[in-house]
């Protein structure tokens, strides 16, 4: 892994940390590649249950490094997969829960990636901005679709058209983040530990269902029913049921 992206595994939690604080954790091609590989290898490792994405030095990320960006402007869908697309695809397709811990600046793709995480926490120092139009560019990685669905058109326009800066309270009020805490990483680790103790197969199923495109409600009920029936036959459910009857906490540590 790149020294500019630190990867730490502990108690089933993989923390992926952007580590370029002297440049406000601006992301380069090697950093995107390192972060993508950390997600992909963790998704394939049964010992890893949850991801946390964070930044070093009290900064999440100022977005793309413009010098690196201009040296090789990415063209998504234009042939060879650029590193930024590799990272966003790894994030979008991660089967395991991804938590973001945002301290300080989150700009551009630093905001876009949050919409593809499962839980997002921020410190009171956090600020959020998507200056694509200000830079004479277009929104990226589904943000033009996901933001209006999340916030409604007029609120999404505040970010995507005006390029307004949101503080943590405004981000929480509109549903971009889950909660605000002075020690944002402690909150993220507590949630990650909670998730890491749950049945991994059930977590993957719930995340897959939540991330699926909209469909007819009866189609969704049928799909859920099939997954529910499959999980009823699983060893994970057997452990959960046995633990309930024995009045103890279930132990899912042996399941991958």
């Amino acid at each position: 892994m790149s020294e500019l992206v630190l990867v730490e595994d502990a108690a089933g939690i993989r923390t992926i940390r952007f580590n370029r604080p002297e440049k406000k954790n601006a992301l380069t091609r090697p950093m995107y590649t390192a972060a993508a590989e950390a997600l992909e290898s963790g998704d394939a490792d049964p010992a890893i249950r949850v991801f946390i994405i964070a930044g070093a030095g009290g900064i999440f990320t100022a977005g793309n490094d413009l010098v690196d960006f201009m040296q090789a402007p990415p063209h998504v869908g234009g042939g060879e997969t650029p590193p930024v697309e590799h990272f966003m695809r790894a994030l979008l397709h991660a089967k395991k829960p991804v938590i973001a811990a945002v301290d300080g600046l989150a700009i551009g793709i630093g905001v876009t990636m949050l919409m593809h995480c499962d839980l997002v926490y921020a410190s009171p120092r956090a600020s959020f901005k998507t200056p694509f139009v200000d830079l004479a560019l277009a929104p990226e990685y589904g943000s033009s679709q996901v933001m209006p669905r999340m916030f409604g058109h007029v609120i999404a326009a505040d970010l995507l058209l005006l390029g307004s800066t949101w503080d943590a309270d405004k981000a929480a009020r509109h549903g971009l983040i889950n909660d605000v805490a002075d020690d944002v990483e402690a909150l993220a680790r507590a949630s990650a530990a909670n998730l890491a103790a749950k049945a991994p197969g059930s977590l993957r199923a719930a995340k897959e269902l939540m991330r699926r495109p909209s469909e007819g409600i009866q189609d969704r009920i049928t799909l859920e029913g099939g997954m529910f029936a499959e999980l009823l036959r699983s060893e994970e459910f057997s452990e959960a049921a046995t633990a309930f009857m024995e009045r103890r906490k279930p132990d899912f540590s042996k399941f991958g």
Side-chain angles (χ1 to χ4, degrees), residues 18-242:
F18 306 132
N19 184 41
R20 199 186 179 209
E22 72 281 2
K23 295 293 185 179
K24 299 182 180 179
N25 294 330
L27 299 168
T28 62
R29 284 167 287 165
M31 291 174 72
Y32 281 124
T33 297
E37 290 174 350
L39 286 168
E40 290 169 339
S41 63
D43 229 19
D45 185 349
I48 302 302
R49 303 299 184 97
V50 187
F51 299 103
I52 294 175
I53 299 178
I59 302 167
F60 189 62
T61 172
N64 287 303
D65 180 288
L66 286 181
V67 174
D68 183 86
F69 185 83
M70 293 302 296
Q71 288 174 348
H75 183 184
V76 176
E80 185 176 349
T81 301
V84 60
E85 183 181 3
H86 182 192
F87 167 69
M88 290 303 293
R89 283 181 177 271
L91 178 59
L92 181 61
H93 296 298
K95 295 180 175 65
K96 298 172 183 179
V98 182
I99 299 172
V102 181
D103 194 11
L105 295 174
I107 298 177
I109 199 164
V111 176
T112 303
M113 72 175 72
L114 303 180
M115 296 180 294
H116 300 293
C117 296
D118 299 294
L119 293 165
V120 182
Y121 301 114
S123 77
R125 300 171 294 279
S127 62
F128 306 84
K129 184 178 178 67
T130 53
F132 305 120
V133 171
D134 294 343
L135 293 170
L137 297 171
E140 60 182 4
Y141 296 103
S143 57
S144 63
Q145 176 173 291
V146 178
M147 278 192 184
R149 288 183 179 177
M150 289 177 70
F151 314 135
H153 178 88
V154 295
I155 301 301
D158 188 52
L159 275 177
L160 291 179
L161 301 186
L162 285 176
S164 297
T165 299
W166 288 9
D167 61 18
D169 288 339
K170 188 170 184 177
R173 189 163 65 250
H174 290 307
L176 177 61
I177 65 176
N178 293 86
D179 207 350
V180 181
D182 287 325
D183 192 340
V184 64
E185 291 202 22
L187 177 57
R189 287 193 300 271
S191 287
N194 186 328
L195 291 171
K198 295 182 185 294
S202 180
L203 269 182
R204 288 192 297 270
K207 174 169 177 170
E208 178 184 345
L209 286 166
M210 292 174 67
R211 290 286 180 177
R212 283 180 64 87
S214 297
E215 56 198 322
I217 190 64
Q218 187 56 55
D219 291 336
R220 176 57 62 91
I221 290 170
T222 300
L223 179 62
E224 290 171 338
M227 287 188 173
F228 195 96
E230 183 179 349
L231 289 168
L232 276 174
R233 298 190 295 270
S234 71
E235 293 183 1
E236 289 182 6
F237 175 72
S238 178
E239 166 61 16
T242 300

